[in-house]
Amino acid sequence: MLALRLVRGTHPLVLLRRLLVAAAAAGVGFLLLCTLGYAVGHPDRSSAATLRLLWCLIPMAATVHFAVAVARTDPSTRPRPGLSAIGLGPARLTAIAAASTAVACTLGSMVALLFYLHLRGDITGLPFDGAAAELLAAGRPIPLAGALTLLAILPVAASTAAALALRPRKAPAPPEGAERTAPSGLPWGVALLAVGLAVETYAGQGGADGGLPLPGRFDGNPAGVLAGWILTAIGLAMAGPGITHWCGRLLQAVRPGATRLLAGRVLMDESRRIGRPLGVVCAVASGAVAAATLYDAGTGDFGPLTGLGAALVMACTTATLLTAALESKQCRAHTTEALVRLGAPPTVLRTAALMRAGALLAVFLPLTWLVGTLAAVPLGG
């Protein structure tokens, strides 16, 4: 009840972010229900139905990541003076954040269920002249227990992840006089990126035997190619913080002025917060480049559910990056206020922000294009 009362009194932008989480949850729930419908309509293809269910884990993971980012930026989850005296300590605020995340995801899952039943014709008859009847296994009974179980996976996963991410913990103090150590994931990320591209190339030479079915019609590529792309995506996500940190170092190279020094130090400080979402966006964008290359060459065939899953992943990862940038801005609000009190002109702060964005785009855009182009070669072969 307390979580619901806090929802009623929150800022409209906070409510908008929660509604976006609910919309993403609705999309994932619809994909899961379509997978259940495929299993009901094709009882002799249990292995294909299982693989389709596994493919739904990718948009589900992107939605969970977005829900955690929204929970981290929620003002109601930040400790404030006086809240502990009324029983709202850090642990209680974490529980409230988890409950709010569960409410938003459950709302989206219920919308997905109603929309799915409507398209199947279980509520008011078949819409669109029955165009989606075969896709959704209309006319066949859907097990209610199975549908509710699938729809409960996302709220449980998202609320658990939010509770783990926001749990009270004490960070170890760095040793006195120590320099900022770059994030340690860069070497492992580069290694995974290279291994993923190598696996894709090796598997692509074997032709299209043993293809895995996507939730659409793009099912002509061997499992090794898709496993290599997953390794490539994980490598980019792991390397993101390290690349962001070194972008900050490059901004400060060769006798920097005050603006470049400020921009570089901010990037170094925030490399862990924004680097990983930026690496995930880079991975998703490289996959989009590869898919566009295949589509232009006439070797890719994408169904409606594949498009829905891809749109969910791209929207959630982009929204997560923007939410992480908002969290970063909130965390350095005191520093910005101190600089303004010391007389720093607003143009310096804006120029530093543009420098940070320009440095990240100059590094990540070519990297995204290169990885996407290299990934498209074995997929097209």
Side-chain angles (χ1 to χ4, degrees), residues 251-252 254-266 339 344-345 347-349 351-353 355-356:
L251 277 177
Q252 302 172 76
V254 191
R255 302 179 63 180
T259 306
R260 277 204 294 139
L261 186 64
L262 176 62
R265 299 303 276 185
V266 169
L339 289 174
T347 54
V348 172
L349 300 178
T351 304
M355 283 185 176
R356 294 195 299 271

Side-chain angles (χ1 to χ4, degrees), residues 64 67-69 71-72 94 158-169 327:
V64 169
V68 172
R72 290 173 63 94
T94 300
S159 59
T160 303
L164 292 176
L166 298 175
R167 69 187 186 277
R169 57 184 180 271
E327 180 188 7

Side-chain angles (χ1 to χ4, degrees), residues 77-107:
T77 63
R78 290 196 295 268
R80 291 184 295 274
L83 290 181
S84 298
I86 60 174
L88 291 179
R92 185 71 179 276
L93 292 177
T94 300
I96 292 175
S100 300
T101 303
V103 168
C105 293
T106 302
L107 175 62

Side-chain angles (χ1 to χ4, degrees), residues 40 96 111 119 137 155 185 236 284 300 302 307 381:
V40 171
I96 292 175
V111 171
L119 290 182
L236 285 172
V284 173
F302 306 95

Side-chain angles (χ1 to χ4, degrees), residues 47 110 122 173 196 202:
S47 59
M110 292 300 101
D122 295 336
Y202 179 78

Side-chain angles (χ1 to χ4, degrees), residues 147-165:
L148 294 180
T149 300
L150 286 178
L151 292 177
I153 294 176
L154 180 60
V156 172
S159 59
T160 303
L164 292 176

